[in-house]
Amino acid sequence: MSGSYVVTGGGRGIGRAVAERLVAAGGTVVAIEQDPASLAWTKGHPAQGRLIGLAGDAADDRVAERAADAAEAAAPLAGWVNNAAVFRDASVHSSTARRVLELIASNLEVALIGCATAVRRFLAAGSPGAIVNVSSHQARQAVPGALPYVTAKAAIEGMTRALAVEYGPCGIRVNAVAPGSVRTERYADHLAAQGPEAAARIEEQMAAVHPLGRVADAHEVASAITYLLSPEAGFITGATVPVDGGRTVLAHDPEARRYA
């Protein structure tokens, strides 16, 4: 895959897996990550010349523009992946509506800024391009207690469809992927904090809610994202592709947290 790509939240988990796949396929990647330490792996990478780590907040227009500049300086911008997310829960019985809206915005804003930056760059270059937004199974299968995240991810899927319709005539494709649970650093840290017995119970629960009997590997989600960025997916736009091992089909979730 030639050209350059921007991946937000590219320092770890799904974002890192996407960056590694794109670089391995011949692309140049600018990985945005808020935590500079999470970009340390990019410095010793064999393809270091085509892998650029950018520390900053992907929800900051200036950071997004710097990433686009760095990508276009290396090769024509071909794709943008909005993977960065904020995981903070709130419920309307215990938080103000204003606080809930702020948390919704924290997840929606980063994807919107990425989409807007990519669309403007594609239009200015007069070239086609692809955007992939990372949603979640929770956009369709809500988990009690996770209102801000669920709402933001549902909005991101709506935004994906709206942008696909508006900019499809310009050759810009916009899609989303909706993972289930994924074995990332965050997932591993969560298990480690529970203790061995509790971690084992969580693993059993996760196996039970995914018909394939396990959580995903980050590279399995990344493979779907890189496919949607590729020419092979040239007639796919406005779609949300579930990469959840059948979790939303089964529609049973022991992670649910009820307020009473």
mmCIF file of all heavy atoms in Angstrom, residues 6 30 32 52 54-57 60-73 80 117 121:
data_model
loop_
_atom_site.group_PDB
_atom_site.id
_atom_site.type_symbol
_atom_site.label_atom_id
_atom_site.label_comp_id
_atom_site.label_asym_id
_atom_site.label_seq_id
_atom_site.Cartn_x
_atom_site.Cartn_y
_atom_site.Cartn_z
ATOM 1 N N VAL A 6 -2.301 8.529 8.430
ATOM 2 C CA VAL A 6 -2.272 9.029 9.803
ATOM 3 C C VAL A 6 -3.110 8.081 10.651
ATOM 4 O O VAL A 6 -4.236 7.727 10.271
ATOM 5 C CB VAL A 6 -2.805 10.468 9.904
ATOM 6 C CG1 VAL A 6 -2.892 10.905 11.368
ATOM 7 C CG2 VAL A 6 -1.918 11.430 9.117
ATOM 8 N N VAL A 30 2.140 8.198 10.069
ATOM 9 C CA VAL A 30 2.312 9.130 11.171
ATOM 10 C C VAL A 30 1.390 8.654 12.293
ATOM 11 O O VAL A 30 0.166 8.629 12.126
ATOM 12 C CB VAL A 30 1.966 10.570 10.764
ATOM 13 C CG1 VAL A 30 2.120 11.507 11.972
ATOM 14 C CG2 VAL A 30 2.853 11.034 9.618
ATOM 15 N N ILE A 32 -0.121 9.278 15.878
ATOM 16 C CA ILE A 32 -0.351 10.284 16.912
ATOM 17 C C ILE A 32 -0.657 9.578 18.225
ATOM 18 O O ILE A 32 -1.495 8.670 18.258
ATOM 19 C CB ILE A 32 -1.520 11.210 16.553
ATOM 20 C CG1 ILE A 32 -1.340 11.848 15.172
ATOM 21 C CG2 ILE A 32 -1.700 12.293 17.605
ATOM 22 C CD1 ILE A 32 -2.531 12.679 14.723
ATOM 23 N N ILE A 52 6.589 7.613 11.619
ATOM 24 C CA ILE A 52 6.800 8.888 12.304
ATOM 25 C C ILE A 52 5.896 8.959 13.525
ATOM 26 O O ILE A 52 4.664 8.895 13.408
ATOM 27 C CB ILE A 52 6.490 10.066 11.356
ATOM 28 C CG1 ILE A 52 7.344 9.971 10.090
ATOM 29 C CG2 ILE A 52 6.703 11.403 12.063
ATOM 30 C CD1 ILE A 52 6.826 10.827 8.954
ATOM 31 N N LEU A 54 4.270 11.066 16.524
ATOM 32 C CA LEU A 54 3.934 12.457 16.832
ATOM 33 C C LEU A 54 3.206 12.491 18.175
ATOM 34 O O LEU A 54 2.079 12.008 18.291
ATOM 35 C CB LEU A 54 3.062 13.058 15.736
ATOM 36 C CG LEU A 54 2.552 14.494 15.964
ATOM 37 C CD1 LEU A 54 3.723 15.455 16.104
ATOM 38 C CD2 LEU A 54 1.638 14.927 14.827
ATOM 39 N N ALA A 55 3.844 13.050 19.189
ATOM 40 C CA ALA A 55 3.226 13.153 20.511
ATOM 41 C C ALA A 55 2.297 14.353 20.541
ATOM 42 O O ALA A 55 2.682 15.464 20.177
ATOM 43 C CB ALA A 55 4.298 13.285 21.585
ATOM 44 N N GLY A 56 1.061 14.135 20.970
ATOM 45 C CA GLY A 56 0.101 15.220 21.052
ATOM 46 C C GLY A 56 -1.317 14.696 21.136
ATOM 47 O O GLY A 56 -1.565 13.495 21.018
ATOM 48 N N ASP A 57 -2.232 15.607 21.348
ATOM 49 C CA ASP A 57 -3.647 15.274 21.478
ATOM 50 C C ASP A 57 -4.300 15.311 20.104
ATOM 51 O O ASP A 57 -4.371 16.368 19.461
ATOM 52 C CB ASP A 57 -4.318 16.286 22.416
ATOM 53 C CG ASP A 57 -5.770 15.953 22.701
ATOM 54 O OD1 ASP A 57 -6.309 14.997 22.095
ATOM 55 O OD2 ASP A 57 -6.380 16.660 23.527
ATOM 56 N N ASP A 60 -6.768 17.958 19.073
ATOM 57 C CA ASP A 60 -6.286 19.319 18.861
ATOM 58 C C ASP A 60 -6.099 19.537 17.361
ATOM 59 O O ASP A 60 -5.312 18.819 16.726
ATOM 60 C CB ASP A 60 -4.965 19.507 19.616
ATOM 61 C CG ASP A 60 -4.434 20.936 19.552
ATOM 62 O OD1 ASP A 60 -4.722 21.654 18.576
ATOM 63 O OD2 ASP A 60 -3.697 21.328 20.479
ATOM 64 N N ASP A 61 -6.797 20.503 16.787
ATOM 65 C CA ASP A 61 -6.691 20.763 15.351
ATOM 66 C C ASP A 61 -5.245 20.952 14.912
ATOM 67 O O ASP A 61 -4.851 20.512 13.824
ATOM 68 C CB ASP A 61 -7.483 22.024 14.975
ATOM 69 C CG ASP A 61 -8.980 21.810 15.063
ATOM 70 O OD1 ASP A 61 -9.539 21.188 14.152
ATOM 71 O OD2 ASP A 61 -9.579 22.279 16.044
ATOM 72 N N ARG A 62 -4.449 21.626 15.755
ATOM 73 C CA ARG A 62 -3.068 21.905 15.378
ATOM 74 C C ARG A 62 -2.238 20.626 15.282
ATOM 75 O O ARG A 62 -1.385 20.490 14.393
ATOM 76 C CB ARG A 62 -2.446 22.877 16.381
ATOM 77 C CG ARG A 62 -3.106 24.252 16.397
ATOM 78 C CD ARG A 62 -2.690 25.040 17.620
ATOM 79 N NE ARG A 62 -3.144 24.390 18.856
ATOM 80 C CZ ARG A 62 -2.936 24.868 20.078
ATOM 81 N NH1 ARG A 62 -2.266 26.002 20.238
ATOM 82 N NH2 ARG A 62 -3.381 24.225 21.136
ATOM 83 N N VAL A 63 -2.505 19.678 16.185
ATOM 84 C CA VAL A 63 -1.808 18.392 16.134
ATOM 85 C C VAL A 63 -2.220 17.623 14.885
ATOM 86 O O VAL A 63 -1.373 17.035 14.190
ATOM 87 C CB VAL A 63 -2.087 17.574 17.408
ATOM 88 C CG1 VAL A 63 -1.512 16.163 17.287
ATOM 89 C CG2 VAL A 63 -1.515 18.276 18.636
ATOM 90 N N ALA A 64 -3.505 17.623 14.586
ATOM 91 C CA ALA A 64 -3.989 16.934 13.388
ATOM 92 C C ALA A 64 -3.368 17.525 12.129
ATOM 93 O O ALA A 64 -2.967 16.792 11.210
ATOM 94 C CB ALA A 64 -5.513 17.002 13.317
ATOM 95 N N GLU A 65 -3.261 18.839 12.083
ATOM 96 C CA GLU A 65 -2.659 19.485 10.912
ATOM 97 C C GLU A 65 -1.170 19.153 10.808
ATOM 98 O O GLU A 65 -0.658 18.932 9.694
ATOM 99 C CB GLU A 65 -2.863 21.002 10.986
ATOM 100 C CG GLU A 65 -4.316 21.455 10.859
ATOM 101 C CD GLU A 65 -4.900 21.195 9.477
ATOM 102 O OE1 GLU A 65 -4.137 20.956 8.522
ATOM 103 O OE2 GLU A 65 -6.145 21.230 9.354
ATOM 104 N N ARG A 66 -0.470 19.095 11.942
ATOM 105 C CA ARG A 66 0.949 18.734 11.907
ATOM 106 C C ARG A 66 1.125 17.302 11.406
ATOM 107 O O ARG A 66 2.058 17.010 10.647
ATOM 108 C CB ARG A 66 1.586 18.882 13.293
ATOM 109 C CG ARG A 66 1.807 20.327 13.707
ATOM 110 C CD ARG A 66 2.923 20.435 14.749
ATOM 111 N NE ARG A 66 2.662 19.656 15.952
ATOM 112 C CZ ARG A 66 1.983 20.115 17.006
ATOM 113 N NH1 ARG A 66 1.472 21.339 16.994
ATOM 114 N NH2 ARG A 66 1.802 19.349 18.065
ATOM 115 N N ALA A 67 0.233 16.433 11.826
ATOM 116 C CA ALA A 67 0.304 15.047 11.365
ATOM 117 C C ALA A 67 0.072 14.970 9.858
ATOM 118 O O ALA A 67 0.785 14.243 9.144
ATOM 119 C CB ALA A 67 -0.729 14.197 12.102
ATOM 120 N N ALA A 68 -0.918 15.713 9.372
ATOM 121 C CA ALA A 68 -1.190 15.722 7.937
ATOM 122 C C ALA A 68 -0.010 16.287 7.160
ATOM 123 O O ALA A 68 0.362 15.773 6.095
ATOM 124 C CB ALA A 68 -2.456 16.528 7.656
ATOM 125 N N ASP A 69 0.601 17.348 7.681
ATOM 126 C CA ASP A 69 1.776 17.929 7.031
ATOM 127 C C ASP A 69 2.907 16.911 6.938
ATOM 128 O O ASP A 69 3.559 16.772 5.894
ATOM 129 C CB ASP A 69 2.265 19.156 7.798
ATOM 130 C CG ASP A 69 1.351 20.365 7.643
ATOM 131 O OD1 ASP A 69 0.534 20.384 6.694
ATOM 132 O OD2 ASP A 69 1.448 21.296 8.479
ATOM 133 N N ALA A 70 3.167 16.215 8.056
ATOM 134 C CA ALA A 70 4.247 15.233 8.086
ATOM 135 C C ALA A 70 3.974 14.082 7.129
ATOM 136 O O ALA A 70 4.891 13.592 6.447
ATOM 137 C CB ALA A 70 4.432 14.697 9.508
ATOM 138 N N ALA A 71 2.725 13.651 7.056
ATOM 139 C CA ALA A 71 2.371 12.562 6.140
ATOM 140 C C ALA A 71 2.557 12.993 4.696
ATOM 141 O O ALA A 71 3.176 12.284 3.885
ATOM 142 C CB ALA A 71 0.935 12.118 6.395
ATOM 143 N N GLU A 72 2.056 14.171 4.352
ATOM 144 C CA GLU A 72 2.128 14.630 2.963
ATOM 145 C C GLU A 72 3.555 14.978 2.546
ATOM 146 O O GLU A 72 3.886 14.919 1.348
ATOM 147 C CB GLU A 72 1.214 15.839 2.771
ATOM 148 C CG GLU A 72 -0.261 15.480 2.820
ATOM 149 C CD GLU A 72 -1.175 16.640 2.522
ATOM 150 O OE1 GLU A 72 -0.824 17.790 2.887
ATOM 151 O OE2 GLU A 72 -2.240 16.417 1.917
ATOM 152 N N ALA A 73 4.403 15.310 3.509
ATOM 153 C CA ALA A 73 5.801 15.569 3.186
ATOM 154 C C ALA A 73 6.513 14.295 2.753
ATOM 155 O O ALA A 73 7.512 14.343 2.023
ATOM 156 C CB ALA A 73 6.517 16.190 4.388
ATOM 157 N N TRP A 80 -6.641 7.811 6.582
ATOM 158 C CA TRP A 80 -6.635 8.335 7.958
ATOM 159 C C TRP A 80 -7.443 7.388 8.821
ATOM 160 O O TRP A 80 -8.577 7.020 8.469
ATOM 161 C CB TRP A 80 -7.253 9.731 7.979
ATOM 162 C CG TRP A 80 -7.026 10.503 9.253
ATOM 163 C CD1 TRP A 80 -7.538 10.216 10.487
ATOM 164 C CD2 TRP A 80 -6.222 11.682 9.401
ATOM 165 N NE1 TRP A 80 -7.120 11.145 11.403
ATOM 166 C CE2 TRP A 80 -6.307 12.074 10.761
ATOM 167 C CE3 TRP A 80 -5.479 12.469 8.522
ATOM 168 C CZ2 TRP A 80 -5.671 13.193 11.266
ATOM 169 C CZ3 TRP A 80 -4.830 13.582 9.019
ATOM 170 C CH2 TRP A 80 -4.928 13.947 10.374
ATOM 171 N N THR A 117 -9.966 16.968 8.986
ATOM 172 C CA THR A 117 -8.620 17.225 8.481
ATOM 173 C C THR A 117 -8.346 16.394 7.237
ATOM 174 O O THR A 117 -7.829 16.898 6.226
ATOM 175 C CB THR A 117 -7.565 16.909 9.559
ATOM 176 O OG1 THR A 117 -7.866 17.646 10.747
ATOM 177 C CG2 THR A 117 -6.167 17.256 9.087
ATOM 178 N N ARG A 121 -7.762 17.742 3.307
ATOM 179 C CA ARG A 121 -6.509 17.436 2.619
ATOM 180 C C ARG A 121 -6.762 16.671 1.311
ATOM 181 O O ARG A 121 -6.124 16.952 0.289
ATOM 182 C CB ARG A 121 -5.585 16.631 3.532
ATOM 183 C CG ARG A 121 -5.095 17.406 4.760
ATOM 184 C CD ARG A 121 -4.227 18.603 4.370
ATOM 185 N NE ARG A 121 -3.794 19.355 5.528
ATOM 186 C CZ ARG A 121 -2.513 19.528 5.878
ATOM 187 N NH1 ARG A 121 -1.546 19.018 5.124
ATOM 188 N NH2 ARG A 121 -2.209 20.239 6.950
#
